[in-house]
Amino acid sequence: MGFSPISSLSFFLFLFHFHSTISSSHFCAHDQSLSLLQFKESFSIRSSASDRCQHPKTESWKEGTDCCSWDGVTCDMKTGHVTGLDLACSMLYGTLHPNSTLFSLHHLQQLDLSDNDFNSSHISSRFGQFSNLTLLNLNYSIFAGQVPSEITHLSKLVSLDLSQNDDLSLEPISFDKLVRNLTNLRELDLSDVNMPLLVPSSLMNLSSSLSSLKLNYCGLQGKLLSSMGKFKHLQYLDLGGNNLTGSIPYDFEQLTELVSLDLSINFYLSLEPIFFDKIVQNLTRLRDLILGYVNMSLVAPSSLTNLSSSLSSLSLWGCGLQGKFPGYIFLLPNLESLDLSYNDGLTGLFPSTNLSNVLSRLDLSNTRISVYLENDLISNLKSLEYMSLRNCNIIMSDIALLSNLTQLINLDLSSNNFSGQIPSSFGNLTQLTYLDLASNNFSGQIPDSLGSLVNLSYLVLSNNQLVGRIHSQLNTLSNLQYLYLSNNLFNGTIPSFLFALPSLQYLDLHNNNLIGNISELQHDSLEYLDLSNNHLHGPIPSSIFKQENLRVLILASNSKLTGEISSSICKLRYLRVMDLSNSSFSGSMPLCLGNFSNMLSVLHLGMNNLQGTIPSTFSKDNSLEYLNLNGNELEGKISPSIINCTMLEVLDLGNNKIEDAFPYFLETLPKLQILVLKSNKLQGFVKGPTAHNSFSKLQILDISDNGFSGSLPIGYFNSLEAMMASDQNMIYMKATNYSSYVYSIEMTWKGVEIEFPKIQSTIRILDLSKNNFTGEIPKVIGKLKALQQLNLSHNSLTGHIQSSLGNLTNLESLDLSSNLLTGRIPTQLGGLTFLAILNLSHNQLEGRIPSGEQFNTFNPSSFEGNLGLCGFQVLKECYGDEAPSLLPSSFDEGDGSTLFEDGFRWKAVTMGYGCGFVFGVATGYIVFRTKKPSWFFRMVEDIWNLKIKKKKKKNVSRYGARRN
Ligand SMILES: *[C@@H]1O[C@H](CO)[C@@H](O)[C@H](O)[C@H]1NC(C)=O
Ligand SMILES: *[C@@H]1O[C@H](CO)[C@@H](O)[C@H](O)[C@H]1NC(C)=O
Ligand SMILES: *[C@@H]1O[C@H](CO)[C@@H](O)[C@H](O)[C@H]1NC(C)=O
Ligand SMILES: *[C@@H]1O[C@H](CO)[C@@H](O)[C@H](O)[C@H]1NC(C)=O
């Protein structure tokens, strides 16, 4: 076939055209150039927008030059059409609108916008118009919203990556279309795209030529099918962080090309020993095997011996492995990373010689594998960059040996029994960015040499016995972001350099002996500040109100913190926890506290000297779960706007001067579990309920020491459902939005005001004492079977003691004292075997005191002031009809001497009382505060949770959540 004249002509014309574009040195079609420039103009350049790498490519784009020569731009040299745009890491910040000129580049075949910040832009449906696109990469660029179904039109796509964005979701139906239409796909990464209800069978329509499939954290639910074997070309398979169930199918053995397999964090997924063996034998190319939290409890650790020698990374954390771990694994020649953490049944010995000399990451935390820290080992671990031996079985001659591992970037030795000084030779580990020595017995001062660790961003020395001042040798640590020194014996003032550290985000100094003022912060980087339980004084420095990103502010229990709480505190719009309790703050409570942050979950201002009224502006959609204003001098009424706090679980307004009627409107708070209104000036009748399900979740109701009158609130007794059913779940009540914060409240326990620093979720208390309630104790009270404490004392109750109280078999404390009760004590009360505290004194009871194991242990003070009572408990014999019951068997033993003569026996009885009390305390609901209270579990976990919620999720380990 020769050239026809016409085609020769057009060829000639083409050459001519080609020549003319060259002469003006422009390949690029004018409209394309214009589109690109307009695209460039619609974004700003910000260094925070890209953090993996930074190449501001659009900066080289200049009008009047050939766009085909611009950074990141590829053209078709014949047509001058832009066919490729690679703007990865270009620091672009701004919204990508549907009218963007990007969409005029119709001829695009490759588009990479990864690692920029598109400010939660939606992915426009116009992406579907790039009909020739073979590569689309929007990874890690802060796109949000629904992925448009038009994406399924891109049928030529070979590679699609929408992973790691802010908040993307994709309808399962779109996913189905996508996998049917995109038949050329080789690489698919939709990690973090939320696909609710997606089932694994949807994956089966994916092209069998797929080489990489990553669906991490997508919401995949259900059983993995045993036809995964069809993806014979798969090299990368990542289905971590979903809810896959059942066992890993055995045809995984057919995936012989696999280089990397990640099925971690599928809590209901398990691996059968026989399948594991097959998989291990067939997957000879495997380099990365990541099965963290997959249940492998039946797999014998010895079967790991067959793992491919090409393995470079093995992560089996939290797999439930039991037994002796084969030391051989550590010797795999290419092993770079080994993580066996959180297998507390794993034993064995970590070998000290012949180790892989490329091992750079080792995590044996929370295992029982023995590690002999000795010279041999250390010299074999010289390439280690990451080492975690948290809560491990470490046997060693000298911890200072570790300072020879000079490549270490990350060292975690927390929760061991190290004692003595922190070795000053640790100052040699100058690469360290992360050092955690928490929860040991280190004593003495922080060695000055730690000041050489200038790369440190994370330093944790909490829970030790460190003393002395926090000295300024650390002021060289200008990269510190996290500093935890809590639960030590540090004294002196807080050195001002701490507040001048430019990147400090988390500062936790709680529970030390620090004194002095809190100085002004020089920067505004703080997200977390806890200075509680020290002896600080003075006002809150105003610079705290400038910490825009502050999420947690805890200054509690510094009794000399004074001054007013400025309304500037309401500038902290992202605050989740504000705890300024147990201090000496005065003035009125800023009214803006009711509506300054929709994220606030904990507001604790209890135990101060605050005056004025309770904010009346609680806004709709607030997240408040815990509101404690106990122990102030607040006046006025309880604002009905509190009903906007629909998440509220704890409301404690006790010990104030509130003058109001019973706040019926609180009935409708659907999650309210604890309501304390004690010691105010509330009055009137308590009749209710006025709504359905009133107070049905309430576990503690304390309205004692007010002026309530009329009969006991019988209607409520019928609706307090939580008090009718015991909860076996022994967990501490804590904020769901910020689970580090464990609730505390003030309660009366045996007549003594006590702070409960933690509250077991099993607790059930009803306290109506010290009011003017009249009438009888109603029978329905017997329905509240889960009650542990019932206090109706100091009222004017009449009639008999209800025998239905005998149904309250969980009762540990019963106080009916100082009423006008008459008649006998019902024998049914003798069956209350947990009863440790009983007070029936100062009534008009009569007759024989019942016996019963627990009843026999009460001493006379429980019954005093009832002249008609008789029985051995009150050292008074009963006569006639009221003849004393037989002495209980436990006392009717040995020499037969009577109680009344035997001082020793009396001692036993009072001890019984004492033990009962201690029993109640120990098994129950209070944990008294000791020198090291832990009313917050300040676990790294939760800190990570906080981080993860942050916008640009950069530098966050998603596996942080398993640390604790
Ligand atoms: C594109 O749309 C956005 C929002 O709808 C608007 O603010 C912007 O001015 C538009 N840009 C152009 C070039 O039309
Ligand atoms: C898409 O590719 C086909 C075949 O290469 C070509 O004919 C067509 O012009 C291209 N479409 C666009 C919009 O570039
Ligand atoms: C499949 O892709 C073609 C374009 O190649 C498009 O016309 C069709 O609508 C797509 N089908 C679905 C279900 O999206
Ligand atoms: C995960 O699946 C299990 C078993 O089907 C189910 O019980 C559980 O609720 C699921 N978890 C989530 C978070 O969906």
Side-chain angles (χ1 to χ4, degrees):
M1 244 208 293
F3 283 104
S4 74
I6 292 179
S7 64
S8 299
L9 180 64
S10 55
F11 181 66
F12 183 77
L13 284 174
F14 170 73
L15 276 184
F16 176 78
H17 178 73
F18 188 68
H19 179 77
S20 69
T21 48
I22 286 187
S23 62
S24 62
S25 72
H26 283 241
F27 284 113
C28 180
H30 179 68
D31 63 313
Q32 305 271 290
S33 172
L34 204 62
S35 297
L36 285 170
L37 286 170
Q38 284 179 2
F39 174 79
K40 166 185 172 175
E41 290 311 315
S42 61
F43 299 100
S44 54
I45 303 288
R46 276 199 194 175
S47 75
S48 62
S50 306
D51 63 2
R52 289 183 185 151
C53 45
Q54 299 194 327
H55 309 292
K57 296 178 193 159
T58 55
E59 281 186 345
S60 73
W61 297 7
K62 299 269 155 47
E63 205 172 346
T65 59
D66 179 9
C67 80
C68 298
S69 67
W70 293 348
D71 253 4
V73 180
T74 316
C75 295
D76 179 327
M77 288 305 187
K78 289 190 200 131
T79 61
H81 292 150
V82 174
T83 54
L85 197 53
D86 176 359
L87 295 177
C89 307
S90 294
M91 300 156 74
L92 301 178
Y93 173 81
T95 305
L96 182 61
H97 290 292
N99 59 7
S100 168
T101 52
L102 173 72
F103 300 111
S104 322
L105 304 170
H106 299 294
H107 308 282
L108 277 182
Q109 294 167 12
Q110 311 210 321
L111 176 58
D112 186 345
L113 298 176
S114 60
D115 198 358
N116 290 292
D117 183 348
F118 293 106
N119 192 20
S120 299
S121 301
H122 285 210
I123 297 178
S124 164
S125 58
R126 296 188 68 189
F127 274 97
Q129 295 167 5
F130 294 124
S131 55
N132 279 353
L133 217 52
T134 58
L135 178 145
L136 177 60
N137 188 349
L138 304 182
N139 162 270
Y140 200 40
S141 272
I142 313 203
F143 282 101
Q146 193 76 32
V147 178
S149 61
E150 285 79 1
I151 210 90
T152 63
H153 296 176
L154 304 178
S155 56
K156 294 189 179 165
L157 275 183
V158 173
S159 172
L160 174 62
D161 187 345
L162 305 179
S163 62
Q164 292 179 290
N165 278 294
D166 221 21
D167 202 359
L168 278 182
S169 51
L170 178 66
E171 298 283 354
I173 179 138
S174 298
F175 182 83
D176 283 340
K177 280 192 196 159
L178 188 129
V179 299
R180 279 176 213 275
N181 222 12
L182 276 46
T183 50
N184 297 312
L185 268 188
R186 295 284 178 283
E187 296 169 356
L188 178 62
D189 190 347
L190 298 179
S191 297
D192 291 315
V193 177
N194 186 21
M195 297 187 270
L197 308 177
L198 189 70
V199 290
S201 60
S202 320
L203 307 181
M204 289 308 138
N205 294 319
L206 277 163
S207 152
S208 59
S209 42
L210 216 57
S211 73
S212 171
L213 177 61
K214 298 185 179 175
L215 299 175
N216 226 322
Y217 292 89
C218 286
L220 210 56
Q221 284 269 0
K223 276 197 158 175
L224 268 179
L225 300 189
S226 54
S227 30
M228 288 296 287
K230 87 171 213 191
F231 298 110
K232 293 215 164 33
H233 304 287
L234 263 189
Q235 297 184 324
Y236 298 88
L237 178 58
D238 185 350
L239 302 176
N242 286 293
N243 195 13
L244 298 171
T245 57
S247 71
I248 296 175
Y250 119 83
D251 72 340
F252 266 59
E253 64 171 349
Q254 292 165 29
L255 305 178
T256 52
E257 303 281 308
L258 269 189
V259 170
S260 172
L261 176 61
D262 182 352
L263 299 173
S264 59
I265 320 189
N266 283 287
F267 294 100
Y268 298 88
L269 192 62
S270 60
L271 188 46
E272 305 295 325
I274 176 156
F275 298 169
F276 184 69
D277 289 346
K278 295 214 176 214
I279 289 169
V280 160
Q281 278 159 24
N282 287 303
L283 306 191
T284 53
R285 303 190 177 188
L286 212 53
R287 287 206 304 260
D288 301 333
L289 181 60
I290 303 169
L291 298 175
Y293 280 135
V294 171
N295 183 354
M296 293 176 62
S297 54
L298 298 176
V299 174
S302 59
S303 33
L304 293 160
T305 312
N306 298 324
L307 278 166
S308 145
S309 62
S310 58
L311 210 65
S312 102
S313 167
L314 180 62
S315 293
L316 301 176
W317 30 269
C319 289
L321 290 167
Q322 305 271 347
K324 194 160 176 239
F325 192 75
Y328 159 85
I329 298 292
F330 301 111
L331 312 180
L332 285 173
N334 298 305
L335 200 65
E336 288 175 29
S337 169
L338 178 65
D339 188 342
L340 300 173
S341 58
Y342 295 84
N343 288 289
D344 51 15
L346 208 52
T347 60
L349 178 64
F350 189 83
S352 56
T353 51
N354 297 325
L355 289 162
S356 146
N357 60 8
V358 289
L359 194 66
S360 71
R361 189 175 190 283
L362 177 64
D363 191 342
L364 302 178
S365 55
N366 293 301
T367 65
R368 288 192 286 127
I369 295 175
S370 305
V371 183
Y372 286 87
L373 281 188
E374 52 186 0
N375 276 316
D376 268 0
L377 176 70
I378 299 299
S379 55
N380 275 296
L381 290 176
K382 282 279 163 61
S383 341
L384 264 198
E385 293 179 355
Y386 176 107
M387 173 151 88
S388 177
L389 300 179
R390 176 193 181 93
N391 189 18
C392 249
N393 189 17
I394 302 175
I395 303 156
M396 53 157 190
S397 47
D398 182 6
I399 181 182
L401 283 175
L402 290 170
S403 43
N404 293 317
L405 300 177
T406 51
Q407 302 300 309
L408 278 180
I409 294 172
N410 188 313
L411 176 61
D412 185 348
L413 300 173
S414 62
S415 300
N416 283 292
N417 283 319
F418 296 120
S419 57
Q421 303 245 350
I422 296 174
S424 67
S425 57
F426 276 10
N428 299 340
L429 300 173
T430 52
Q431 306 293 317
L432 279 185
T433 63
Y434 180 111
L435 177 61
D436 189 345
L437 304 177
S439 303
N440 282 290
N441 288 317
F442 286 115
S443 55
Q445 306 213 357
I446 301 178
D448 292 353
S449 61
L450 291 196
S452 322
L453 306 181
V454 293
N455 292 312
L456 269 191
S457 73
Y458 191 106
L459 177 60
V460 190
L461 304 176
S462 305
N463 298 315
N464 280 292
Q465 315 276 342
L466 297 168
V467 295
R469 300 172 75 92
I470 302 168
H471 47 165
S472 50
Q473 276 76 2
L474 298 180
N475 70 3
T476 46
L477 306 185
S478 57
N479 290 309
L480 267 191
Q481 295 178 27
Y482 302 84
L483 180 60
Y484 296 87
L485 302 177
S486 57
N487 287 316
N488 277 292
L489 303 164
F490 290 114
N491 54 34
T493 54
I494 303 176
S496 53
F497 83 86
L498 277 188
F499 288 142
L501 289 170
S503 324
L504 197 66
Q505 294 175 21
Y506 287 70
L507 178 61
D508 187 353
L509 303 177
H510 84 271
N511 224 22
N512 279 289
N513 296 316
L514 299 168
I515 55 169
N517 282 315
I518 306 173
S519 39
E520 293 289 349
L521 294 146
Q522 306 299 310
H523 301 277
D524 57 6
S525 52
L526 268 192
E527 295 181 18
Y528 182 105
L529 179 63
D530 187 349
L531 304 177
S532 60
N533 280 321
N534 281 292
H535 311 291
L536 300 170
H537 63 244
I540 303 178
S542 61
S543 51
I544 285 194
F545 309 134
K546 300 199 182 102
Q547 308 296 314
E548 269 185 24
N549 290 315
L550 200 64
R551 282 138 211 268
V552 173
L553 175 62
I554 304 177
L555 304 176
S557 299
N558 281 287
S559 54
K560 291 179 190 147
L561 283 180
T562 52
E564 303 208 351
I565 299 174
S566 156
S567 59
S568 306
I569 208 160
C570 295
K571 290 183 193 153
L572 303 175
R573 289 187 302 124
Y574 299 112
L575 217 52
R576 286 158 184 248
V577 173
M578 184 196 298
D579 184 346
L580 308 179
S581 64
N582 286 289
S583 300
S584 299
F585 293 114
S586 55
S588 57
M589 188 176 161
L591 295 182
C592 57
L593 285 179
N595 60 358
F596 75 105
S597 160
N598 273 348
M599 301 197 183
L600 193 70
S601 148
V602 170
L603 179 57
H604 191 352
L605 302 177
M607 305 293 135
N608 279 293
N609 305 319
L610 299 174
Q611 294 160 351
T613 55
I614 299 171
S616 56
T617 52
F618 291 97
S619 54
K620 286 213 156 65
D621 303 324
N622 73 62
S623 312
L624 211 55
E625 298 180 281
Y626 177 92
L627 175 58
N628 191 338
L629 306 175
N630 188 311
N632 283 289
E633 291 163 31
L634 299 172
E635 301 169 330
K637 293 189 184 298
I638 301 172
S639 162
S641 70
I642 290 187
I643 59 171
N644 290 332
C645 306
T646 52
M647 311 293 279
L648 204 60
E649 297 180 342
V650 177
L651 177 60
D652 187 347
L653 303 176
N655 295 300
N656 279 292
K657 298 175 175 170
I658 300 168
E659 292 184 55
D660 204 344
F662 184 78
Y664 293 101
F665 49 87
L666 298 178
E667 285 175 11
T668 52
L669 289 175
K671 298 191 166 178
L672 197 64
Q673 295 172 40
I674 297 183
L675 176 59
V676 178
L677 301 173
K678 65 182 292 181
S679 302
N680 276 292
K681 299 179 181 170
L682 302 170
Q683 49 182 308
F685 294 155
V686 185
K687 282 194 187 146
T690 59
H692 185 57
N693 280 341
S694 291
F695 291 136
S696 61
K697 296 258 165 61
L698 218 51
Q699 299 177 204
I700 297 181
L701 175 60
D702 184 351
I703 56 171
S704 62
D705 194 13
N706 279 290
F708 291 120
S709 53
S711 56
L712 289 172
I714 302 177
Y716 284 126
F717 293 166
N718 275 309
S719 65
L720 294 168
E721 284 172 24
M723 297 192 191
M724 300 177 191
S726 302
D727 180 351
Q728 303 304 326
N729 216 353
M730 294 281 257
I731 50 172
Y732 294 114
M733 295 175 67
K734 49 188 180 178
T736 45
N737 279 342
Y738 183 67
S739 59
S740 298
Y741 193 90
V742 178
Y743 297 154
S744 62
I745 49 163
E746 297 283 324
M747 279 299 303
T748 305
W749 184 274
K750 202 193 159 207
V752 182
E753 189 96 345
I754 290 176
E755 178 173 9
F756 287 45
K758 295 178 176 185
I759 312 164
Q760 283 276 10
S761 61
T762 51
I763 196 167
R764 304 286 190 277
I765 295 179
L766 181 60
D767 193 340
L768 308 178
S769 64
K770 296 190 188 161
N771 281 292
N772 302 318
F773 287 116
T774 52
E776 304 201 346
I777 299 174
K779 183 158 186 248
V780 298
I781 205 158
K783 276 184 157 181
L784 307 179
K785 289 200 175 72
L787 276 185
Q788 288 139 351
Q789 245 205 104
L790 175 61
N791 192 347
L792 303 177
S793 68
H794 294 89
N795 280 294
S796 303
L797 300 173
T798 52
H800 291 202
I801 295 179
Q802 260 300 334
S803 59
S804 68
L805 285 172
N807 296 340
L808 307 185
T809 49
N810 290 297
L811 221 49
E812 294 180 28
S813 167
L814 175 62
D815 191 346
L816 304 176
S817 65
S818 300
N819 278 293
L820 305 167
L821 299 169
T822 53
R824 296 186 176 207
I825 300 172
T827 53
Q828 286 86 341
L829 297 193
L832 300 177
T833 48
F834 291 123
L835 203 60
I837 296 160
L838 176 71
N839 194 349
L840 303 178
S841 65
H842 301 288
N843 278 292
Q844 296 158 17
L845 301 169
E846 57 189 26
R848 182 204 309 147
I849 297 173
S851 57
E853 276 197 34
Q854 205 61 16
F855 239 75
N856 298 339
T857 64
F858 300 122
N859 70 24
S861 66
S862 295
F863 306 101
E864 71 187 10
N866 290 283
L867 294 178
L869 285 177
C870 63
F872 68 91
Q873 294 99 331
V874 291
L875 310 176
K876 186 172 162 194
E877 282 188 60
C878 299
Y879 298 101
D881 181 34
E882 297 172 1
S885 57
L886 287 175
L887 286 180
S889 58
S890 57
F891 294 101
D892 195 17
E893 58 177 24
D895 61 7
S897 62
T898 73
L899 272 168
F900 310 107
E901 296 160 0
D902 187 340
F904 173 76
R905 285 294 168 78
W906 264 117
K907 201 167 156 204
V909 170
T910 24
M911 265 177 60
Y913 181 91
C915 290
F917 177 60
V918 172
F919 173 79
V921 171
T923 58
Y925 325 92
I926 18 180
V927 177
F928 288 100
R929 198 179 272 181
T930 59
K931 164 69 184 117
K932 290 191 174 182
S934 39
W935 36 306
F936 309 110
F937 297 117
R938 292 174 176 79
M939 291 176 182
V940 179
E941 170 188 348
D942 299 291
I943 288 149
W944 287 120
N945 283 345
L946 264 185
K947 288 293 280 183
I948 285 166
K949 300 265 162 59
K950 261 187 75 172
K951 224 176 156 229
K952 190 97 179 175
K953 304 171 195 165
K954 310 246 159 164
N955 293 328
V956 173
S957 153
R958 68 167 2 117
Y959 304 120
R962 79 198 160 81
R963 298 181 47 90
N964 83 345

